[in-house]
Amino acid sequence: MKIRNLILIAFYILIFIPFPLFASEWEEKTITGISFDSKGDAFDESLRSLIEIKNGDRYQTSVIRQIMSRLYETGKIKSVILNVTPISENKIAIQWMLSAKRMITKIAVSGQRQFSEQEIYNALSFSPNKPFDEDQWKKQVAALDALYKSEGYFNVQIKSDFQTQPEDPFQILIQLNIEEGNRARIESLSFTKDPVFPDLILQLSTVSQKPDYYSTQQISSDMKRLKKLYTQKGYLRAIIGPPSVHFSPQSQTVSVQIPIFASHKIDFLFHGVSTLTGKESLSPFIPINEETTDLDQALEEGARAIKNFYREKGYPFVEVQVKTKGFSSGKNCEQALNERGLCDRIEAHFTIENLIRTKMRQIRFLETKLFSQRRLKKLVQIKEEGLLRKTYYTKERLNEDVENLTLFYKKEGFQSVHVTQEINFDEKKEWADLTFQIQEGVRTRIDSIVLKGAEKLSEKEISKSLLFRQGDPYNKEIAREGARQMLTAYAKHGYADSKIDTEVTFSEDASFAHIQYQIIEGEQIFFGPLKLTGHLKTKDNVLLREMRFKEGDTYDYEKVLLSQQRLNQTGLFSGIRFEPTRNADAKTRSDMNLTVVERSRVATEFGPGYRDSEGVRGFFEITHRNLFGTGRRISGRAEGSRVERRYSLHYKEPHIFSYDTNVIIGTTYFLTQAGTFKPFDEEAFLATVSFEKSLSRLWKTILLYEYKDTTISNVKPGVTLTQQDIGRLFIGSLNPSFIRDTRNDLLNPTHGSVHAITFRNAAQILGSQELATFYKITHQSSGFLSPTPKSTIALSLRIGGSKKFGETSIIPLSERFFSGGRSTVRGYAQNKLGVDGETIVNGIPKGGNAMLILNEELRFLLYGSFGAVFFFDHGNVWREFKEIKMREIKSTVGVGLYWNTPFGPLRMDWGYKLDREKMESASEYHFTLGHGF
């Protein structure tokens, strides 16, 4: 036997023979003494319970090994050594020598200015409660040192001080002191090797300049800009970098040299291209870059890619040929190739031939019995040419249609269906006729569904999870999907380890299928303890109150996903990760680890805007979103334009009194000047308290109390109805709202809907003056759907009414409804729509107590983030709800353009009046940020 085989046998014997191999001489001897040596570390008393051995017990190797395994599984032990000392012939004493792992609980950073604590933690790859290893720590500090040097801090000094915690010697606090030193500036930036272009042109393409601070990241960005420059100039194989950096300690500066190998210039020339394409659209198909070694092969690949591109666009007979021609100054290209290995310039000529675009004239389906020609035509991507529809033949699309038809028939129970196609072109190959031959075969239906092994859940409960029933068409996927649906039902009840075997048998003629599911239910799993890590500033209870599960609940991962969603909604964390782990000692328990990454607690926002009725406007907001690590939020905001100024301060108390309800206390001051925006000046101070509660994932309710101290002045003539409309007024109101929101995007939704109804009750008991008591109801519903990936249909209905009561003779001016403008009826100026002589007099709006607005809009993307809209708006404002008349509804139609920005769509709309009155303008323009609804 070979020596190598003997070594292997010995190795496996050492692994599998119970530990210790040479301890057999102590087996079954009586233990009369037990001691511990923790190698200088204080002994963790909780580990004693794991050492289930006492004086008088017999020594057993298997028991010793089990104890050692349990000690290692705690994660607190680095090593375990057992010393055995003989006392007499049948008695021994044992000593446990334990070496504990030290855990990093916190890193306290001081002296840093350039990087935040979180950035430093990221560089160190730090997360709490990880074992401490000195060698690994040196590597982590080296990574932090490299981060500082990458930003020009070449003299940085990083010192570490390790402190054990008095209450727990296994825990380490690391004091990290950073002496950053001076940051180096750029002394010179030059370009070497074969750059072709002069340094001045290259320096103009870079951001890094003398005497800017040095930054590796910025230099990398500059090299990308240089690469783009060379690519635009035709030097597609140019190699930029890597840079050479020389640091001078005396002057605290760096000299940066960027090597550039320009290679030769390559020009692409295209002959015979269609009007739909050009050099800019075809060049990206040619795979030439700095890594290209075989130019001819790359050009041939480019020709094939261009041919495939045209064929996908409906040119099935296109051919593309490529030829090259070299040029070199002062000598022929062959001589230059021999001397330098390259020409100065190469022209690649691509010739595109047979650009015939083939349109579909007729599509037919043969031997179809169950489905109509009309229905089958809806299933295929290729369509017949029509007055408003142009479709072109492509081989790829045809193959996909054959596959789609096959899948459709199999889904409908035709398991042996066979679909073939035949395409015929006219003489000029401009038109094609397509015939699909469909051999349906036998249709199979589900005859019976049998469940075996179901004990923990009833058959009725399991059957509810199935989306198919007896008599439905059979296909392979529906049987597999049935098993997945049942596994989901079991998982919701904690049976995460359930297994289901599927067996399908068919009748003799294959017209019926019998499905039998054999269910192996397994053990019911429960949630174990939840371990939290990563929340350096946030308190434990902030995370725990968002959990939809607790220890002892049946294991349901949907509850974990819901908890993750709720944590996301707090806005406190940029990363959230749940990791379930099975407990080795309790197999029916699944412990859960939650790791979070905290966002910066202080955030600022600012930005400009524009509205046609206000001109340029702007805002600034500062928010602390995690006060004292409790999730409490406070924010201040200032915004203004030439006609309005607004200042607000809000405080949010989440989960008030441990209930799932948020309380928001706010105060706002605003001043609005009379103009096109409003027919009066208004100065107001608002104090609000609101209670918000999510009733479900879709439903939310808000109860808002508002106290408003408002002063109306400078009212335009004809607007006031009584003297109550001018002067100071106090309005206290209670405003409950109910909201249902299924939109996929709050700023730019493409599907879903939002429904909101708000009641406003202003009574004396709530703080209103006796001259300002009223109630008000408003409702808005908006829906969105996308018939195509680049288009959205948006619909909206708004209706509102108010009624006075008590001593109030008329609804206060500031509380009336106004209509017209960017978000209501866009053919009218802001607030300039009303019933002539009633709610608008001589062009001056007086407002009303009833409102009805309807909007229909088609939005579609044109290119990139730019889009267009067609809209149709209707509505008006009446004095009272009972006075609403359909014939008085005014309509406008219009078009608009928008640009999707991070702050929402920036829009320009033009609306045209369809019910124009005398002295009214024919149309209006509106500029705004955000969709109107």
Side-chain angles (χ1 to χ4, degrees):
M1 185 179 292
K2 294 183 178 180
I3 295 177
R4 183 181 62 182
N5 294 339
L6 290 172
I7 294 173
L8 285 173
I9 291 172
F11 175 75
Y12 283 109
I13 289 174
L14 286 172
I15 291 177
F16 292 111
I17 289 181
F19 171 86
L21 180 62
F22 304 107
S24 57
E25 59 181 300
W26 315 120
E27 199 75 16
E28 294 299 328
K29 291 190 177 183
T30 302
I31 300 172
T32 59
I34 302 175
S35 61
F36 297 92
D37 182 356
S38 57
K39 290 191 176 179
D41 294 325
F43 186 70
D44 189 346
E45 294 296 330
S46 65
L47 300 177
R48 286 189 183 273
S49 60
L50 300 178
I51 303 176
E52 298 174 344
I53 196 168
K54 60 184 183 298
N55 286 332
D57 288 348
R58 300 272 185 181
Y59 184 99
Q60 293 180 343
T61 302
S62 59
V63 172
I64 296 297
R65 185 160 187 160
Q66 289 174 6
I67 292 173
M68 287 187 169
S69 296
R70 285 197 293 269
L71 288 169
Y72 279 116
E73 287 171 1
T74 65
K76 298 180 179 181
I77 295 297
K78 185 193 302 183
S79 66
V80 180
I81 298 175
L82 184 66
N83 288 329
V84 181
T85 304
I87 303 299
S88 63
E89 184 177 353
N90 294 316
K91 295 180 181 181
I92 59 174
I94 61 174
Q95 181 187 44
W96 294 95
M97 300 183 67
L98 307 177
S99 178
K101 284 184 179 178
R102 293 185 293 172
M103 313 296 287
I104 305 175
T105 56
K106 186 178 180 181
I107 298 177
V109 183
S110 62
Q112 84 284 4
R113 299 188 308 275
Q114 175 67 16
F115 300 107
S116 67
E117 282 190 16
Q118 189 59 54
E119 289 174 314
I120 290 173
Y121 292 151
N122 293 340
L124 293 169
S125 302
F126 166 68
S127 57
N129 299 319
K130 293 292 183 182
F132 172 72
D133 181 274
E134 290 190 17
D135 292 336
Q136 183 62 33
W137 176 252
K138 290 178 182 178
K139 294 179 182 178
Q140 291 172 270
V141 172
L144 179 60
D145 182 83
L147 175 65
Y148 267 97
K149 284 183 168 57
S150 72
E151 289 299 309
Y153 293 91
F154 294 96
N155 295 322
V156 64
Q157 298 290 325
I158 303 174
K159 299 178 181 178
S160 305
D161 181 33
F162 309 105
Q163 301 175 3
T164 57
Q165 304 287 44
E167 65 275 9
D168 189 346
F170 297 111
Q171 295 188 356
I172 293 179
L173 167 66
I174 300 179
Q175 296 282 354
L176 195 67
N177 180 258
I178 301 173
E179 297 177 8
E180 294 179 343
N182 294 324
R183 189 178 183 185
R185 293 183 179 270
I186 297 174
E187 171 62 26
S188 64
L189 176 65
S190 58
F191 309 93
T192 60
K193 303 303 181 183
D194 185 21
V196 176
F197 300 112
D199 282 6
L200 178 61
I201 293 178
L202 298 176
Q203 287 173 350
L204 290 174
S205 299
T206 61
V207 174
S208 301
Q209 301 289 336
K210 177 184 178 180
D212 291 345
Y213 287 116
Y214 171 79
S215 169
T216 301
Q217 185 177 0
Q218 190 61 63
I219 295 293
S220 298
S221 299
D222 286 337
M223 290 194 295
K224 291 179 181 178
R225 293 186 183 91
L226 290 169
K227 178 61 181 175
K228 185 177 181 181
L229 169 69
Y230 276 85
T231 301
Q232 290 173 343
K233 297 298 183 181
Y235 294 90
L236 305 178
R237 302 170 74 181
I239 300 174
I240 316 292
S244 176
V245 180
H246 302 280
F247 171 64
S248 172
Q250 292 79 15
S251 61
Q252 294 293 305
T253 59
V254 295
S255 300
V256 182
Q257 291 184 341
I258 301 178
I260 299 176
F261 299 87
S263 188
H264 48 243
K265 184 178 181 182
I266 303 176
D267 289 329
F268 298 139
L269 302 174
F270 299 93
H271 309 281
V273 297
S274 70
T275 56
L276 300 177
T277 57
K279 177 180 178 179
E280 292 77 14
S281 59
L282 296 180
S283 297
F285 290 106
I286 306 169
I288 294 180
N289 52 48
E290 67 273 14
E291 297 177 359
T292 303
T293 55
D294 192 327
L295 180 62
D296 292 338
Q297 182 180 348
L299 294 174
E300 288 295 339
E301 289 180 14
R304 286 193 293 271
I306 293 171
K307 181 170 71 173
N308 292 334
F309 165 74
Y310 271 107
R311 291 193 172 184
E312 290 174 1
K313 293 294 182 181
Y315 299 90
F317 306 104
V318 68
E319 294 294 338
V320 181
Q321 306 294 332
V322 60
K323 292 183 179 180
T324 59
K325 188 175 182 180
F327 300 88
S328 187
S329 56
K331 59 189 76 174
N332 61 44
C333 189
E334 184 176 353
Q335 183 180 353
L337 284 170
N338 291 332
E339 293 179 2
R340 301 170 54 209
L342 52 83
C343 296
D344 290 341
R345 185 170 69 87
I346 290 179
E347 288 182 355
H349 294 260
F350 291 85
T351 304
I352 303 169
E353 301 173 331
N354 299 331
L355 275 177
I356 303 169
R357 211 167 194 187
T358 306
K359 294 176 283 189
M360 298 306 304
R361 181 165 51 195
Q362 185 182 43
I363 300 175
R364 295 186 304 158
F365 300 86
L366 301 183
E367 297 190 30
T368 58
K369 300 174 184 178
L370 184 62
F371 305 108
S372 66
Q373 298 272 324
R374 183 177 180 182
R375 182 174 182 185
L376 293 175
K377 285 181 180 180
K378 290 181 179 180
L379 299 174
V380 296
Q381 299 180 69
I382 297 179
K383 306 293 183 183
E384 294 171 332
E385 184 80 3
L387 182 63
L388 300 176
R389 181 174 61 207
K390 292 186 179 296
T391 58
Y392 302 96
Y393 163 75
T394 71
K395 186 176 181 181
E396 292 77 11
R397 195 176 296 168
L398 179 57
N399 292 336
E400 290 177 8
D401 284 341
V402 170
E403 184 177 346
N404 290 338
L405 286 169
T406 302
L407 291 174
F408 168 75
Y409 267 90
K410 287 188 174 182
K411 185 178 178 182
E412 291 296 327
F414 298 92
Q415 300 306 297
S416 59
V417 66
H418 185 62
V419 181
T420 58
Q421 46 80 19
E422 181 181 348
I423 185 82
N424 294 309
F425 302 96
D426 68 348
E427 187 175 347
K428 294 183 179 180
K429 299 181 179 178
E430 294 178 348
W431 292 93
D433 296 326
L434 175 61
T435 301
F436 289 101
Q437 185 85 20
I438 302 176
Q439 299 175 7
E440 295 177 342
V442 177
R443 191 181 198 188
T444 307
R445 292 186 179 276
I446 299 172
D447 184 53
S448 63
I449 305 170
V450 178
L451 305 177
K452 289 190 173 183
E455 297 178 358
K456 309 294 176 60
L457 300 183
S458 67
E459 289 193 10
K460 183 178 181 181
E461 191 172 4
I462 298 171
S463 297
K464 284 182 181 179
S465 66
L466 297 176
L467 300 180
F468 58 89
R469 296 292 180 266
Q470 186 178 357
D472 288 351
Y474 166 80
N475 62 76
K476 291 180 180 178
E477 184 56 36
I478 204 172
R480 286 195 292 265
E481 183 61 27
R484 285 194 291 267
Q485 291 159 5
M486 288 188 287
L487 286 173
T488 300
Y490 268 96
K492 287 183 177 180
H493 290 80
Y495 296 96
D497 294 333
S498 298
K499 297 179 181 179
I500 297 179
D501 294 326
T502 306
E503 183 180 348
V504 182
T505 58
F506 299 92
S507 62
E508 198 169 319
D509 60 355
S511 59
F512 292 104
H514 308 275
I515 305 176
Q516 177 176 294
Y517 293 109
Q518 181 66 49
I519 303 171
I520 304 171
E521 293 177 321
E523 294 288 339
Q524 192 173 25
I525 310 299
F526 299 89
F527 281 110
L530 175 65
K531 182 180 179 182
L532 308 176
T533 57
H535 53 307
L536 304 176
K537 305 293 184 182
T538 308
K539 294 184 178 179
D540 287 359
N541 71 298
V542 175
L543 285 78
L544 294 174
R545 68 193 180 196
E546 304 298 340
M547 298 300 102
R548 298 298 95 184
F549 62 90
K550 62 182 183 296
E551 186 176 355
D553 287 351
T554 54
Y555 183 85
D556 181 359
Y557 201 71
E558 285 190 8
K559 293 181 180 179
V560 178
L561 296 177
L562 182 58
S563 301
Q564 184 171 358
Q565 181 185 19
R566 290 178 62 87
L567 284 172
N568 255 322
Q569 291 171 350
T570 65
L572 302 177
F573 310 106
S574 60
I576 301 167
R577 187 175 75 253
F578 282 96
E579 291 180 312
T581 56
R582 287 294 180 86
N583 192 296
D585 295 331
K587 295 184 178 180
T588 60
R589 194 179 80 188
S590 179
D591 299 343
M592 192 67 64
N593 297 323
L594 169 58
T595 305
V596 297
V597 179
E598 293 175 320
R599 293 182 185 275
S600 174
R601 291 181 293 172
V602 179
T604 58
E605 290 185 62
F606 60 90
Y610 184 88
R611 289 180 182 171
D612 55 297
S613 56
E614 302 177 61
V616 176
R617 59 182 295 116
F619 77 92
F620 175 81
E621 183 172 13
I622 182 168
T623 303
H624 194 302
R625 49 191 169 204
N626 197 4
L627 283 171
F628 314 115
T630 61
R632 297 184 177 98
R633 176 186 295 245
I634 187 168
S635 64
R637 182 183 176 96
E639 56 184 309
S641 67
R642 61 181 172 85
V643 297
E644 183 182 37
R645 294 195 301 275
R646 184 178 294 265
Y647 309 95
S648 59
L649 181 68
H650 287 87
Y651 169 79
K652 179 179 179 181
E653 176 73 28
H655 295 263
I656 186 72
F657 305 131
S658 298
Y659 289 99
D660 192 9
T661 302
N662 299 327
V663 176
I664 300 176
I665 302 172
T667 179
T668 302
Y669 169 82
F670 70 86
L671 176 64
T672 305
Q673 298 177 0
T676 56
F677 186 52
K678 279 184 178 180
F680 53 86
D681 287 350
E682 182 179 10
E683 182 179 13
F685 174 81
L686 282 78
T688 60
V689 179
S690 65
F691 296 82
E692 298 182 358
K693 181 175 177 60
S694 295
L695 303 177
S696 68
R697 188 174 62 87
L698 305 178
W699 282 94
K700 180 171 73 172
T701 182
I702 301 173
L703 180 62
L704 168 72
Y705 173 79
E706 177 185 279
Y707 183 80
K708 182 178 181 181
D709 176 359
T710 180
T711 302
I712 304 295
S713 61
N714 194 23
V715 182
K716 290 189 176 181
V719 174
T720 57
L721 299 180
T722 70
Q723 286 304 311
Q724 301 170 17
D725 285 341
I726 302 177
R728 192 174 185 182
L729 203 61
F730 300 97
I731 303 173
S733 62
L734 197 61
N735 306 265
S737 302
F738 296 92
I739 303 166
R740 185 180 189 272
D741 194 349
T742 62
R743 292 173 296 175
N744 65 322
D745 190 317
L746 298 182
L747 294 177
N748 196 14
T750 57
H751 63 263
S753 63
V754 59
H755 308 275
I757 184 168
T758 300
F759 303 90
R760 184 171 174 84
N761 182 13
Q764 281 187 268
I765 196 173
L766 296 172
S768 283
Q769 289 180 237
E770 60 182 1
L771 300 178
T773 54
F774 61 92
Y775 59 84
K776 190 175 185 179
I777 303 175
T778 56
H779 171 77
Q780 178 171 357
S781 290
S782 300
F784 310 89
L785 60 95
S786 296
T788 67
K790 291 191 175 183
S791 65
T792 301
I793 296 174
L795 307 172
S796 177
L797 164 67
R798 280 168 280 187
I799 188 168
S802 55
K803 192 76 174 178
K804 59 183 175 19
F805 63 87
E807 299 295 325
T808 303
S809 60
I810 196 163
I811 302 294
L813 181 59
S814 61
E815 296 294 333
R816 295 177 205 154
F817 293 107
F818 291 86
S819 182
R822 62 185 178 274
S823 62
T824 54
V825 183
R826 283 163 282 191
Y828 292 84
Q830 193 71 21
N831 298 334
K832 289 298 184 70
L833 174 59
V835 178
D836 193 29
E838 296 180 5
T839 56
I840 188 166
V841 179
N842 297 325
I844 304 298
K846 305 175 74 170
N849 299 333
M851 170 195 68
L852 177 63
I853 304 291
L854 298 101
N855 307 95
E856 303 96 40
E857 187 167 279
L858 173 63
R859 307 167 185 166
F860 54 93
L861 287 171
L862 296 173
Y863 178 78
S865 298
F866 292 91
V869 296
F870 293 111
F871 58 82
F872 199 21
D873 298 336
H874 329 266
N876 215 329
V877 171
W878 292 265
R879 286 187 301 189
E880 300 295 339
F881 201 83
K882 61 183 179 182
E883 297 180 7
I884 293 179
K885 300 180 179 65
M886 292 298 106
R887 67 175 182 272
E888 291 178 341
I889 292 178
K890 300 294 184 72
S891 298
T892 65
V893 66
V895 296
L897 296 172
Y898 67 90
W899 173 40
N900 285 326
T901 73
F903 306 102
L906 182 64
R907 291 185 50 148
M908 179 183 72
D909 294 330
W910 172 80
Y912 179 79
K913 298 179 179 71
L914 298 179
D915 305 292
R916 181 184 176 191
E917 301 283 350
K918 292 181 180 180
M919 306 302 292
E920 285 185 339
S921 63
S923 61
E924 293 289 340
Y925 286 95
H926 299 282
F927 299 88
T928 187
L929 182 65
H931 289 303
F933 58 91

